[in-house]
Amino acid sequence: MPLTADRVQSALDRPVRFYEQVASTNDLALAWLRDGASAGAVVLADEQTLGRGRLGRAWLAPPGTALMLSVIVRPPSEAVGSMTMLGAVAICELLESLGAADVGIKWPNDVRLNGRKVCGILPEAAWDGQRLLGVVLGIGLNVRIDFANTPLADSAISLEPALDTRIDRLDLLVTLLSRIDLWTQTLQARHELFAAWKRRLTMLGQRVSVSSVDDSMQQGVAEDVDNTGALLLRTDDGRLHRLVAGDIALGKQDQPDGD
Ligand code: BT5
């Protein structure tokens, strides 16, 4: 069923703005946040013309094929760094509730289904000087994108073909928001969220390559993560590196996201 403003409004008991087409839901949500939107408010779009990932990368989804939203969260400022974890865990729980068996998180922000990226998460914080106004939690979940003959054919996947079932995006949205709400209430003490995230990481103990923002590449074993979400990488010289950002490739056949 298509998403329409009426359907969306009547399914959600919170402020929501639905658009058939926007540049980026995160941009609109950031503006709304600065305008005083309440916690839990949602911006949802059927299509984005300038959907973005990290570092200005493009997020691609034809109209009507994905769930694309930004949720306004007002976390304690010390929890800002946990928003990616929160989004990833909520998405994993959503997919698990649909019966998906092979669901995991590729550090730091990809949710994978059957070893391919099904969802990307982009939290962006808004500050007034030193004061945190809030965070917009941007989420793009592939529902029925046909990646055949695209550059993402080997790395991306959509829910409907993977689960071989028809899915109403509104049902996904309702369940996802309830998971986000629940985890948001736990943000004062984040050990449970951290444990739920760490348990689903796919590459701990494996040999990986990590490319950093400056394009330098490090190889080693993804030994652990610390409770801020940083990756602890043991390089071949025996040193332990703490990486707070980057793109990870597992094994030899996998590609980092940074294209
Ligand atoms: C992300 O970035 O994965 C975060 C994506 C967040 C998108 C949501 S949609 C709603 C909200 N509004 C926005 O404007 N953004 C958020 P990153 O880890 O940098 O991954 C980006 C890379 O993923 C691209 O360079 C492609 O390689 C790949 N990619 C692009 N579209 C994809 C898709 N639909 N499925 C899987 N991979 C994709």
Side-chain angles (χ1 to χ4, degrees), residues 245-258:
D247 286 296
I248 198 167
L250 301 158
K252 287 207 165 58
Q253 74 285 12
D254 199 25
Q255 294 294 314
D257 263 341

PDB file of all heavy atoms in Angstrom, residues 245-258:
ATOM      1  N   ALA A 245      35.710   6.145  14.115  1.00  0.00           N
ATOM      2  CA  ALA A 245      34.964   6.228  12.856  1.00  0.00           C
ATOM      3  C   ALA A 245      35.757   5.509  11.793  1.00  0.00           C
ATOM      4  O   ALA A 245      36.937   5.247  11.961  1.00  0.00           O
ATOM      5  CB  ALA A 245      34.752   7.686  12.458  1.00  0.00           C
ATOM      6  N   GLY A 246      35.101   5.214  10.689  1.00  0.00           N
ATOM      7  CA  GLY A 246      35.794   4.547   9.595  1.00  0.00           C
ATOM      8  C   GLY A 246      34.862   3.603   8.883  1.00  0.00           C
ATOM      9  O   GLY A 246      33.682   3.475   9.223  1.00  0.00           O
ATOM     10  N   ASP A 247      35.384   2.954   7.864  1.00  0.00           N
ATOM     11  CA  ASP A 247      34.613   1.963   7.123  1.00  0.00           C
ATOM     12  C   ASP A 247      35.359   0.660   7.190  1.00  0.00           C
ATOM     13  O   ASP A 247      36.558   0.605   6.953  1.00  0.00           O
ATOM     14  CB  ASP A 247      34.465   2.398   5.658  1.00  0.00           C
ATOM     15  CG  ASP A 247      33.478   3.521   5.528  1.00  0.00           C
ATOM     16  OD1 ASP A 247      32.302   3.295   5.838  1.00  0.00           O
ATOM     17  OD2 ASP A 247      33.889   4.626   5.143  1.00  0.00           O
ATOM     18  N   ILE A 248      34.638  -0.381   7.466  1.00  0.00           N
ATOM     19  CA  ILE A 248      35.275  -1.651   7.724  1.00  0.00           C
ATOM     20  C   ILE A 248      34.960  -2.628   6.580  1.00  0.00           C
ATOM     21  O   ILE A 248      33.869  -2.603   6.020  1.00  0.00           O
ATOM     22  CB  ILE A 248      34.773  -2.197   9.075  1.00  0.00           C
ATOM     23  CG1 ILE A 248      35.684  -3.272   9.615  1.00  0.00           C
ATOM     24  CG2 ILE A 248      33.375  -2.709   8.990  1.00  0.00           C
ATOM     25  CD1 ILE A 248      35.382  -3.597  11.073  1.00  0.00           C
ATOM     26  N   ALA A 249      35.937  -3.420   6.219  1.00  0.00           N
ATOM     27  CA  ALA A 249      35.690  -4.505   5.262  1.00  0.00           C
ATOM     28  C   ALA A 249      36.078  -5.797   5.934  1.00  0.00           C
ATOM     29  O   ALA A 249      37.135  -5.903   6.561  1.00  0.00           O
ATOM     30  CB  ALA A 249      36.497  -4.292   3.990  1.00  0.00           C
ATOM     31  N   LEU A 250      35.199  -6.776   5.823  1.00  0.00           N
ATOM     32  CA  LEU A 250      35.439  -8.070   6.453  1.00  0.00           C
ATOM     33  C   LEU A 250      36.034  -9.014   5.423  1.00  0.00           C
ATOM     34  O   LEU A 250      35.532  -9.086   4.310  1.00  0.00           O
ATOM     35  CB  LEU A 250      34.122  -8.684   6.916  1.00  0.00           C
ATOM     36  CG  LEU A 250      33.296  -7.900   7.910  1.00  0.00           C
ATOM     37  CD1 LEU A 250      31.855  -8.345   7.842  1.00  0.00           C
ATOM     38  CD2 LEU A 250      33.834  -8.106   9.299  1.00  0.00           C
ATOM     39  N   GLY A 251      37.047  -9.728   5.770  1.00  0.00           N
ATOM     40  CA  GLY A 251      37.607 -10.728   4.871  1.00  0.00           C
ATOM     41  C   GLY A 251      38.060 -10.102   3.570  1.00  0.00           C
ATOM     42  O   GLY A 251      38.339  -8.922   3.487  1.00  0.00           O
ATOM     43  N   LYS A 252      38.085 -10.910   2.514  1.00  0.00           N
ATOM     44  CA  LYS A 252      38.639 -10.430   1.255  1.00  0.00           C
ATOM     45  C   LYS A 252      37.563  -9.974   0.270  1.00  0.00           C
ATOM     46  O   LYS A 252      37.740  -9.050  -0.492  1.00  0.00           O
ATOM     47  CB  LYS A 252      39.460 -11.547   0.604  1.00  0.00           C
ATOM     48  CG  LYS A 252      40.771 -11.802   1.309  1.00  0.00           C
ATOM     49  CD  LYS A 252      41.782 -12.375   0.334  1.00  0.00           C
ATOM     50  CE  LYS A 252      43.192 -12.312   0.863  1.00  0.00           C
ATOM     51  NZ  LYS A 252      43.331 -13.034   2.140  1.00  0.00           N
ATOM     52  N   GLN A 253      36.372 -10.628   0.316  1.00  0.00           N
ATOM     53  CA  GLN A 253      35.387 -10.355  -0.713  1.00  0.00           C
ATOM     54  C   GLN A 253      34.575  -9.102  -0.413  1.00  0.00           C
ATOM     55  O   GLN A 253      33.934  -8.543  -1.272  1.00  0.00           O
ATOM     56  CB  GLN A 253      34.434 -11.553  -0.902  1.00  0.00           C
ATOM     57  CG  GLN A 253      33.399 -11.779   0.179  1.00  0.00           C
ATOM     58  CD  GLN A 253      33.999 -12.370   1.452  1.00  0.00           C
ATOM     59  OE1 GLN A 253      35.213 -12.408   1.618  1.00  0.00           O
ATOM     60  NE2 GLN A 253      33.140 -12.812   2.348  1.00  0.00           N
ATOM     61  N   ASP A 254      34.638  -8.653   0.824  1.00  0.00           N
ATOM     62  CA  ASP A 254      33.799  -7.546   1.247  1.00  0.00           C
ATOM     63  C   ASP A 254      34.444  -6.220   0.850  1.00  0.00           C
ATOM     64  O   ASP A 254      35.643  -6.098   0.789  1.00  0.00           O
ATOM     65  CB  ASP A 254      33.655  -7.620   2.770  1.00  0.00           C
ATOM     66  CG  ASP A 254      32.473  -6.840   3.261  1.00  0.00           C
ATOM     67  OD1 ASP A 254      31.541  -6.657   2.481  1.00  0.00           O
ATOM     68  OD2 ASP A 254      32.511  -6.407   4.409  1.00  0.00           O
ATOM     69  N   GLN A 255      33.605  -5.238   0.591  1.00  0.00           N
ATOM     70  CA  GLN A 255      34.110  -3.907   0.238  1.00  0.00           C
ATOM     71  C   GLN A 255      33.733  -2.912   1.320  1.00  0.00           C
ATOM     72  O   GLN A 255      32.632  -2.955   1.818  1.00  0.00           O
ATOM     73  CB  GLN A 255      33.448  -3.422  -1.065  1.00  0.00           C
ATOM     74  CG  GLN A 255      33.825  -4.237  -2.284  1.00  0.00           C
ATOM     75  CD  GLN A 255      35.298  -4.087  -2.616  1.00  0.00           C
ATOM     76  OE1 GLN A 255      35.826  -2.984  -2.632  1.00  0.00           O
ATOM     77  NE2 GLN A 255      35.964  -5.207  -2.818  1.00  0.00           N
ATOM     78  N   PRO A 256      34.655  -1.999   1.642  1.00  0.00           N
ATOM     79  CA  PRO A 256      34.222  -0.923   2.529  1.00  0.00           C
ATOM     80  C   PRO A 256      33.172  -0.079   1.824  1.00  0.00           C
ATOM     81  O   PRO A 256      33.096  -0.100   0.599  1.00  0.00           O
ATOM     82  CB  PRO A 256      35.496  -0.108   2.789  1.00  0.00           C
ATOM     83  CG  PRO A 256      36.616  -0.794   2.114  1.00  0.00           C
ATOM     84  CD  PRO A 256      36.049  -1.845   1.219  1.00  0.00           C
ATOM     85  N   ASP A 257      32.388   0.676   2.585  1.00  0.00           N
ATOM     86  CA  ASP A 257      31.329   1.488   1.993  1.00  0.00           C
ATOM     87  C   ASP A 257      31.826   2.709   1.247  1.00  0.00           C
ATOM     88  O   ASP A 257      31.118   3.308   0.482  1.00  0.00           O
ATOM     89  CB  ASP A 257      30.401   2.000   3.110  1.00  0.00           C
ATOM     90  CG  ASP A 257      29.197   1.123   3.226  1.00  0.00           C
ATOM     91  OD1 ASP A 257      28.919   0.398   2.270  1.00  0.00           O
ATOM     92  OD2 ASP A 257      28.569   1.175   4.275  1.00  0.00           O
ATOM     93  N   GLY A 258      33.029   3.122   1.565  1.00  0.00           N
ATOM     94  CA  GLY A 258      33.475   4.430   1.085  1.00  0.00           C
ATOM     95  C   GLY A 258      33.704   4.483  -0.409  1.00  0.00           C
ATOM     96  O   GLY A 258      34.814   4.307  -0.876  1.00  0.00           O
TER      97      GLY A 258
END
